[in-house]
Amino acid sequence: MMAAAVPAPAPVPLLTPGRERAMLWLLALTQFTVIMDFMVMMPLAPQLMQAFNIGPAAVSGAVSAYAWCAGLSGLLAATYIDRFDRKKLLLTMFLLFTVSNLACALAPNFHVLLWSRAFAGLTGGVLGAIVMAIIGDVIPAERRGAATGIVMTAFAMAAVGGVPIGVVLAAHFGWASPFFLLVVLSLLIWLGAARVLPSLTAHVGAAPTPLRQVLPNLLALLRERRHLQAFALSIVNMTAGMLVIPFISPVLVGNMGLAPVDVTWVYLTGGCATIFTARLIGRWADRAGKQQVYRWVSLLSIAPLLFITHLPQLSLLALMLLFPFFMALVSGRTIPLQALLTSIPQPQQRGAFLSANSALQSLGSGLGAWLGGLSLHTDTAGHISGYGWNGWLAAALSLWTVWWVARVRGAAPQGAPA
């Protein structure tokens, strides 16, 4: 008897410009919820410290728990992400992520909150890789910088809208209210994504990889020198930022004397700046090259990293005027990096590569937050010391990435000579 023919995978869909824009903004909104979920823990730190009678190291531990679990989840996802329709996988993980935020909102004590943050990391840690894999599948390489810039405006939207609104809600209705807001927003975005995102199965192949080959393929992915060079850049870039970012809000409150609600205005101005700069940096990366733009933005980011960790006594207005430079440059260097990373693997490895990269980025985030927390000390008056050391280490790591990025190169097109 003749064996049944294996159906060929569906080709990558050609989207109309309007549907492509809608898809990119829905992906950006998906990222918005993930980034807000991660970022809102930082300005909520003073309220969490008071509500649960904990110190800044415990808050950084909650941030690290999310990051470590996101890393583990991303690494596991590398074994299966390229076996499924990207759309179905995104919708499944996004729904589980929404449940994790509901668990955070209902947490009765810090221990339950910590476990809920770990669950959020396990689910949310995969979403960024799926989003970037979809961009890599659908958007041509010459337009990926601009597309990544659109999706990366999620960071700005989280800073402008999500985090400030979350902080205001927390000030008036309790620390859990931002997580309830995330649940509602996530459900609405999920419904839009279910309607607009195309089915993507071209990466699967006519015959999916046998399960017995999944682990060997992952190990081969992690052993390839070109991949390892990209992973190293990604980890160090994330560690440098997370040495500084989680502790901005506690330092502004403890050392600058700002009220927690005033932190909202600082993040608001920073986010407003990145709404414009993210897309500009993305277009610049398409024109001038991802490596070159990353090198310049990372180099320029050293100044605000050192400034924010060595703050003199400043007024709220001065902080609002200066913080946009920090946000635009420190978050902006991720745009050419993410666009560059989509070109590193071959298409059939893209999901696994980006999942592994997302895992390692999360591990880098956890490492940065953990190391940063170790160097900080709080006195009886609530002042935090040791932040300057974090800035110097972040600056040194950033200089390393400026040198290392030249080693990170994309894969040769299939069928072309290496």
Side-chain angles (χ1 to χ4, degrees):
M1 181 180 294
M2 184 176 295
V6 178
V12 176
L14 296 175
L15 305 183
T16 64
R19 190 176 179 189
E20 182 181 296
R21 282 194 300 273
M23 181 196 75
L24 289 174
W25 282 110
L26 277 167
L27 294 177
L29 289 170
T30 303
Q31 285 285 76
F32 163 81
T33 60
V34 177
I35 295 169
M36 178 182 170
D37 177 63
F38 183 68
M39 286 181 62
V40 79
M41 286 290 291
M42 303 167 196
L44 287 181
Q47 289 153 288
L48 292 170
M49 289 162 62
Q50 183 177 13
F52 295 117
N53 193 27
I54 56 176
V59 177
S60 71
V63 175
S64 296
Y66 178 102
W68 291 111
C69 288
L72 175 62
S73 177
L75 191 60
L76 292 174
T79 65
Y80 64 78
I81 190 172
D82 288 321
R83 298 175 61 85
F84 299 100
D85 182 341
R86 306 269 197 227
K87 176 181 179 177
K88 291 180 180 178
L89 189 58
L90 176 73
L91 293 176
T92 300
M93 299 308 298
F94 197 20
L95 188 61
L96 292 173
F97 172 75
T98 304
V99 172
S100 74
N101 276 302
L102 183 61
C104 290
L106 298 175
N109 54 58
F110 184 71
H111 294 293
V112 175
L113 178 64
L114 190 63
W115 283 106
S116 301
R117 296 307 299 156
F119 183 43
L122 288 171
T123 54
V126 184
L127 289 172
I130 302 173
V131 166
M132 292 309 301
I134 290 173
I135 290 176
D137 286 349
V138 176
I139 307 299
E142 64 271 14
R143 292 196 288 114
R144 269 182 218 153
T148 304
I150 290 175
V151 173
M152 290 301 292
T153 57
F155 187 90
M157 290 189 292
V160 171
V163 173
I165 291 172
V167 172
V168 170
L169 284 174
H172 289 88
F173 302 106
W175 65 265
S177 53
F179 296 104
F180 282 117
L181 175 64
L182 274 169
V183 171
V184 175
L185 290 176
S186 297
L187 288 174
L188 294 174
I189 296 164
W190 189 95
L191 291 172
R195 182 178 179 85
V196 172
L197 263 61
S199 177
L200 293 169
T201 59
H203 60 282
V204 176
T209 304
L211 289 176
R212 65 179 180 277
Q213 284 296 118
V214 167
L215 184 58
N217 287 353
L218 175 61
L219 294 176
L221 182 85
L222 296 176
R223 284 196 299 263
E224 189 167 337
R225 182 176 180 180
R226 184 165 45 82
H227 295 171
L228 292 174
Q229 290 170 334
F231 290 149
L233 176 64
S234 196
I235 293 171
V236 175
N237 178 80
M238 194 60 65
T239 301
M242 292 305 294
L243 281 164
V244 175
I245 294 171
F247 312 104
I248 293 174
S249 181
V251 167
L252 292 180
V253 173
N255 295 8
M256 296 290 104
L258 267 63
V261 71
D262 289 336
V263 177
T264 301
W265 297 105
V266 177
Y267 276 89
L268 181 64
T269 55
C272 285
T274 55
I275 283 179
F276 299 101
T277 59
R279 298 183 71 180
L280 290 174
I281 291 172
R283 294 193 189 103
W284 181 23
D286 284 336
R287 292 195 308 269
K290 279 72 171 176
Q291 291 169 313
Q292 186 71 2
V293 172
Y294 176 84
R295 186 179 291 111
W296 276 108
V297 179
S298 188
L299 189 62
L300 291 171
S301 71
I302 292 173
L305 281 169
L306 291 175
F307 177 78
I308 206 73
T309 53
H310 295 81
L311 280 174
Q313 195 64 40
L314 296 173
S315 66
L316 174 61
L317 179 60
L319 289 168
M320 289 171 61
L321 292 174
L322 293 169
F323 195 63
F325 294 97
F326 176 89
M327 290 281 283
L329 293 171
V330 175
S331 67
R333 64 189 188 182
T334 307
I335 296 168
L337 174 60
Q338 289 294 100
L340 175 63
L341 291 174
T342 63
S343 68
I344 301 299
Q346 296 291 353
Q348 67 271 20
Q349 294 180 307
R350 184 174 287 131
F353 172 86
L354 292 172
S355 291
N357 180 73
S358 178
L360 294 171
Q361 281 185 329
S362 296
L363 293 175
S365 296
L367 178 63
W370 177 67
L371 289 175
L374 289 179
S375 66
L376 300 185
H377 305 280
T378 307
D379 61 23
T380 55
H383 296 105
I384 297 174
S385 61
Y387 199 32
W389 289 105
N390 292 17
W392 287 113
L393 181 54
L397 293 177
S398 298
L399 279 174
W400 183 88
T401 66
V402 171
W403 167 71
W404 186 261
V405 70
R407 298 170 178 262
V408 179
R409 300 190 180 278
Q414 288 186 327

